[in-house]
Amino acid sequence: MNGVVTLISRRSCVAVRIGSIKVGGYGSPILVQSMTNTDTANVIETAAQIADLARAGSDMVRVAVNNEEAASAIPQISECLVRQGIIVPLIGDFHFNGHRLLTKYPACAEILDKYRINPGNVGHSRTKDYQFATIIELACRYDKPVRIGVNWGSLDQEIVMKLMGENARLSEPRDSNEVIREAMIISALGSARRAEEIGIGHDRIILSVKMSGVQDLIMVYRKLALLCDHPLHLGLTEAGIGSKGIVSSTAALAVLLQYGIGDTIRVSITPEPGGSRTQEVIVAQEILQAMGLRSFTPTVVACPGCGRTSSEYFQLLTKQIQDYLRDRMTIWRKFYPGVESMTVAVMGCVVNGPGESRQADVGISLPGTGEIPVAPVYVDGKKLVTLRGEHIATEFKQIVEEYVVRRYSTG
């Protein structure tokens, strides 16, 4: 427990402002970041996806700035978002040629709220220091924070080869993954020190050290957290698709968050074919909400179903209510502060149904197999009404709507 307290207090040391958002520092919420997968040069598609991610609740959005067309599109994308009333910090993701793009396109450099650079591919040998320095100098000129994002898939090979050589000469060489983790920390901290030498403030640097193995990620971030007070961005890189990506990301991030490590998070899952990019935002939010760190949307309490439940109807109603709550949050969060903390129970039979429904703010206990075809509804622990017939879903949604207006309205 002492370790948890120590690490939580570490987060109070440094805070970074990205646009109007405070990252890190005592009392700051852990923020959700996402990234577009459109061609940034396509202004319409990119602006539309950023808007979708922002509406889903992403606190900031990263876009790839990989060529001149992408750099020149940034001001147009920003204008598109403003016209839609979307205000969300934009992060430029630079690899290989960021020094040239930021120099040649000052409007891009000025509009972006943060730069992300990878010290493993910002340049090589003689060009590395010049290109790195150019980006940091531009960040200073435009007063932008910088995330130094180390990734094990593109780690600085000079550092890796040096450490691997030293390790090979040991009488008892360490595991190669341990050496890689050390190389990532050296790269991150060394780059941060160099950035400060060039002139950027200590309080303008965010660090990340992303790996694709859950245990590796936990170990590298725990060590990094003990060695610096910079805000840390968390993410399991290349987590995968579907349940594999969701479970792996949750397993890694939940452990680190429990230790008080992390100021921003991203869930880097591959979208299902035809799936929405907003899934990564929803998963990140659900991790934070499940950990009790933030609330984004009312919580649906629902049993898994068993031989007692009328499975199809129970499952359909649960899905309808969950989708309904998330859809309504676009309106509710504007007019009903605190509604995101509401709990709604959708239970499938008499065993736990009435008890769980009474514990929720609003709950419904559906009839199970062989039970009387009625559905009692409970509000604030007391039975309000018994629903029956073909319109239970519609009537229950109306009860939830009326409860939100009555309880969370500020008048």
Side-chain angles (χ1 to χ4, degrees):
M1 189 66 182
N2 289 336
V4 176
V5 174
T6 300
L7 290 172
I8 288 176
S9 66
R10 177 197 64 76
R11 294 188 63 240
S12 67
C13 297
V14 174
V16 175
R17 285 215 169 267
I18 300 175
S20 61
I21 295 180
K22 181 182 178 185
V23 178
Y26 180 76
S28 300
I30 297 168
L31 303 177
V32 173
Q33 184 182 134
S34 56
M35 185 174 184
T36 58
N37 62 356
T38 57
D39 179 357
T40 307
N42 188 322
V43 172
I44 302 300
E45 285 189 6
T46 302
Q49 190 172 85
I50 293 170
D52 286 344
L53 292 166
R55 291 189 187 106
S58 186
D59 296 302
M60 55 187 75
V61 179
R62 180 158 51 113
V63 297
V65 186
N66 56 329
N67 52 40
E68 294 194 11
E69 292 76 16
S72 64
I74 294 297
Q76 301 171 63
I77 291 169
S78 178
E79 290 174 8
C80 243
L81 293 170
V82 170
R83 286 197 297 270
Q84 298 178 65
I86 301 294
I87 307 298
V88 62
L90 296 180
I91 302 164
D93 192 59
F94 294 97
H95 297 269
F96 310 111
N97 57 357
H99 61 295
R100 287 193 288 103
L101 296 176
L102 287 168
T103 300
K104 187 171 181 179
Y105 295 92
C108 168
E110 187 169 3
I111 285 171
L112 290 171
D113 294 281
K114 180 171 74 171
Y115 309 154
R116 185 266 175 156
I117 56 176
N118 183 336
N121 56 30
V122 74
H124 300 285
S125 60
R126 289 175 298 176
T127 66
K128 179 179 179 179
D129 194 61
Y130 165 74
Q131 293 175 191
F132 182 83
T134 299
I135 295 174
I136 299 301
E137 287 166 359
L138 287 163
C140 294
R141 180 187 304 174
Y142 294 104
D143 191 24
K144 306 297 181 182
V146 172
R147 172 158 72 93
I148 295 172
V150 180
N151 192 301
W152 82 310
S154 50
L155 188 53
D156 188 325
Q157 288 304 299
E158 292 180 18
I159 296 175
V160 174
M161 297 308 294
K162 178 177 180 297
L163 292 181
M164 286 295 187
E166 293 173 355
N167 187 58
R169 291 190 289 273
L170 296 175
S171 57
E172 295 184 9
R174 296 177 294 165
D175 178 79
S176 60
N177 275 11
E178 184 181 348
V179 177
I180 293 294
R181 293 195 296 270
E182 181 184 356
M184 294 183 69
I185 291 172
I186 289 173
S187 178
L189 296 180
S191 298
R193 283 193 298 271
R194 178 61 185 137
E196 289 189 62
E197 291 170 359
I198 294 166
I200 196 169
H202 182 79
D203 62 350
R204 304 298 278 165
I205 299 172
I206 302 101
L207 298 181
S208 64
V209 281
K210 292 188 176 183
M211 305 185 76
S212 61
V214 171
Q215 295 297 341
D216 286 321
L217 192 83
I218 292 169
M219 285 187 277
V220 74
Y221 268 104
R222 289 191 67 182
K223 185 170 183 180
L224 180 62
L226 294 172
L227 296 174
C228 76
D229 64 354
H230 293 289
L232 301 181
H233 171 74
L234 307 184
L236 185 76
T237 189
E238 294 115 22
I241 193 171
S243 60
K244 188 271 179 187
I246 293 171
V247 171
S248 297
S249 293
T250 303
L253 270 56
V255 172
L256 292 170
L257 293 168
Q258 186 67 17
Y259 278 107
I261 299 171
D263 299 279
T264 65
I265 67 170
R266 184 196 171 200
V267 174
S268 302
I269 51 178
T270 306
E272 298 277 0
S276 172
R277 190 66 164 181
T278 59
Q279 183 190 25
E280 67 178 53
V281 177
I282 293 169
V283 173
Q285 289 177 334
E286 289 179 347
I287 291 171
L288 293 177
Q289 187 153 332
M291 297 291 293
L293 297 169
R294 285 182 71 183
S295 293
F296 297 91
T297 191
T299 299
V300 176
V301 177
C303 66
C306 67
R308 291 177 174 272
T309 60
S310 301
S311 297
E312 185 175 354
Y313 183 75
F314 162 67
Q315 293 164 2
L316 286 172
L317 182 61
T318 304
K319 177 82 166 56
Q320 284 182 38
I321 295 302
Q322 185 144 308
D323 290 347
Y324 164 77
L325 294 173
R326 186 167 289 279
D327 290 343
R328 292 297 290 157
M329 278 302 294
T330 58
I331 301 297
W332 286 350
R333 68 168 55 96
K334 297 177 183 178
F335 300 104
Y336 305 111
V339 67
E340 64 276 1
S341 64
M342 180 175 67
T343 58
V344 178
V346 182
M347 302 300 293
C349 79
V350 75
V351 173
N352 293 317
E356 288 283 1
S357 296
R358 288 190 185 96
Q359 293 297 320
D361 294 308
V362 184
I364 185 169
S365 180
L366 295 169
T369 304
E371 294 177 17
I372 299 171
V374 295
V377 174
Y378 299 84
V379 173
D380 290 333
K382 298 179 180 179
K383 184 176 176 180
L384 175 71
V385 68
T386 298
L387 302 181
R388 50 174 60 82
E390 300 178 357
H391 305 291
I392 288 178
T394 302
E395 293 172 4
F396 184 63
K397 290 177 188 176
Q398 184 60 37
I399 290 170
V400 172
E401 189 78 33
E402 291 170 357
Y403 181 82
V404 169
V405 173
R406 183 174 68 256
R407 177 172 175 180
Y408 298 101
S409 176
T410 58

